[in-house]
Amino acid sequence: MTTPVETTVTVAPGVRLWTERRGDPRAPALLLVMGASEPGLSWPDPLVDRLAAHHQVIRYDHRDTGASTRVFDEAPYPLAELAEDAVRVLDALDVDRAHVLGLSMGGILTQLLLADHPDRLRTASLWSTFAMSTTPLRHDDGATTPVEELPGPDEELIGWLSGLTPRPDLEAELDQRVEKWRRMNPGPLPLDAADFRTREERIIAHSGRWDDSWAHALADQSGLLRTDQLAANTVPTLVIEAPADPVVPPVHARHLDQVVGATRLVTIPGLGHAPVRRALDPIADAVLAHTLA
């Protein structure tokens, strides 16, 4: 395994993003796109290492996360701009085409890449994310359910998350972050609290602060639908279903499998919204089977 290479890249005037490359630089690139308000270090190292045995793995901090520029308060941007940032990261690192794995909001951004920049993708993998399409879900009996009637996130969880504020000291902040991940993982796969605490300690040290930004939640979410483009997609796309996810109910994975062209659906039993250690090998196996096919 090669030594990880960290650098910052400029994606817009006054906006610099932290990036890390791991693995053989001659291997096909795999870009990891994280969810809302989460930095690149939220991708667990054991998963990154498994993927980096076959790819040059690139993870990065979105703007307003981690060690990247915090800019939203002075210069608000639409959520779709984060997808363009992903392309700019590839440009800055001289990557012509990449495999892309997106989690949660990162899966939304990956769909925008499929629709707007398919020439930059070798494959796509969508994990626990909503569809950027207005096509209704078709059921086995022939009935359909409009997108707006599909179940949303667990209301109790969303209520708890909306009340989060930075804690007055580090230990209390770490307790709160571990509790967040526990609530996002209500299924049978165990959450190792010590593992997530260590990960969050590293993220805070990397960021130099522990006040999370609400930029991604506040960003303009208009103009995200790509119904026709996703239906016509030809980039091989893996849809990862998380049956125990309280943020993105698993029916949305089936919806993605229907509305996005060239998809294949895989289910990780017990998987929630948290990347717990017990799920990392099955996820890596699924992604690598897809990217190396």
Side-chain angles (χ1 to χ4, degrees):
M1 185 69 64
T2 59
T3 302
V5 176
E6 298 182 28
T7 188
T8 57
V9 301
T10 299
V11 296
V15 181
R16 293 183 61 79
L17 305 186
W18 174 88
T19 74
E20 180 202 79
R21 286 168 287 173
R22 187 177 302 205
D24 187 342
R26 298 165 298 180
L30 170 56
L31 181 70
L32 304 180
V33 187
M34 202 6 105
S37 303
E38 293 293 333
L41 292 185
S42 291
W43 292 102
D45 279 346
L47 176 61
V48 176
D49 287 339
R50 275 288 314 277
L51 300 174
H54 301 274
H55 294 286
Q56 177 190 188
V57 177
I58 301 166
R59 57 179 170 177
Y60 68 101
D61 293 342
H62 296 295
R63 55 176 80 187
D64 289 285
T65 71
S68 292
T69 306
R70 294 207 176 191
V71 68
F72 188 83
D73 290 344
E74 293 75 28
Y77 48 83
L79 197 66
E81 190 69 15
L82 298 180
E84 298 304 315
D85 280 352
V87 175
R88 294 166 187 144
V89 167
L90 295 180
D91 288 341
L93 299 179
D94 294 322
V95 175
D96 180 47
R97 296 174 65 226
H99 302 280
V100 179
L101 167 60
L103 168 60
S104 193
M105 181 194 76
I108 291 174
L109 303 181
T110 302
Q111 291 174 70
L112 296 181
L113 296 178
L114 283 171
D116 300 340
H117 302 281
D119 58 312
R120 304 302 299 273
L121 276 65
R122 294 177 181 269
T123 68
S125 298
L126 308 174
W127 171 8
S128 287
T129 191
F130 297 100
M132 297 295 96
S133 169
T134 57
T135 302
L137 174 68
R138 301 186 309 276
H139 300 279
D140 294 338
D141 60 3
T144 61
T145 299
V147 173
E148 60 270 18
E149 294 182 14
L150 294 178
D154 179 82
E155 292 184 1
E156 182 178 350
L157 173 62
I158 295 303
W160 185 83
L161 291 173
S162 67
L164 291 180
T165 56
R167 300 291 90 187
D169 62 82
L170 178 58
E171 292 305 311
E173 176 67 18
L174 290 169
D175 288 342
Q176 178 174 258
R177 292 189 179 201
V178 172
E179 176 64 12
K180 176 191 75 173
W181 289 117
R182 186 191 68 77
R183 288 173 180 257
M184 288 186 175
N185 186 63
L189 294 181
L191 184 145
D192 185 334
D195 176 45
F196 274 82
R197 194 178 191 89
T198 298
R199 192 184 310 169
E200 291 297 335
E201 286 176 335
R202 184 182 174 200
I203 287 171
I204 289 172
H206 167 72
S207 305
R209 56 198 296 177
W210 66 70
D211 56 324
D212 285 335
S213 168
W214 288 95
H216 300 163
L218 297 173
D220 181 1
Q221 298 187 25
S222 63
L224 296 180
L225 296 180
R226 297 291 190 276
T227 301
D228 294 340
Q229 297 95 321
L230 291 173
N233 172 60
T234 60
V235 176
T237 300
L238 178 70
V239 178
I240 300 174
E241 180 187 42
D245 190 342
V247 180
V248 182
V251 66
H252 288 272
R254 181 181 171 196
H255 183 216
L256 280 163
D257 191 38
Q258 287 186 7
V259 304
V260 181
T263 58
R264 181 173 64 86
L265 179 69
V266 64
T267 300
I268 307 296
L271 181 62
H273 205 73
V276 298
R277 187 175 292 274
R278 281 274 297 276
L280 300 184
D281 278 338
I283 291 167
D285 290 342
V287 171
L288 290 172
H290 180 58
T291 62
L292 300 177

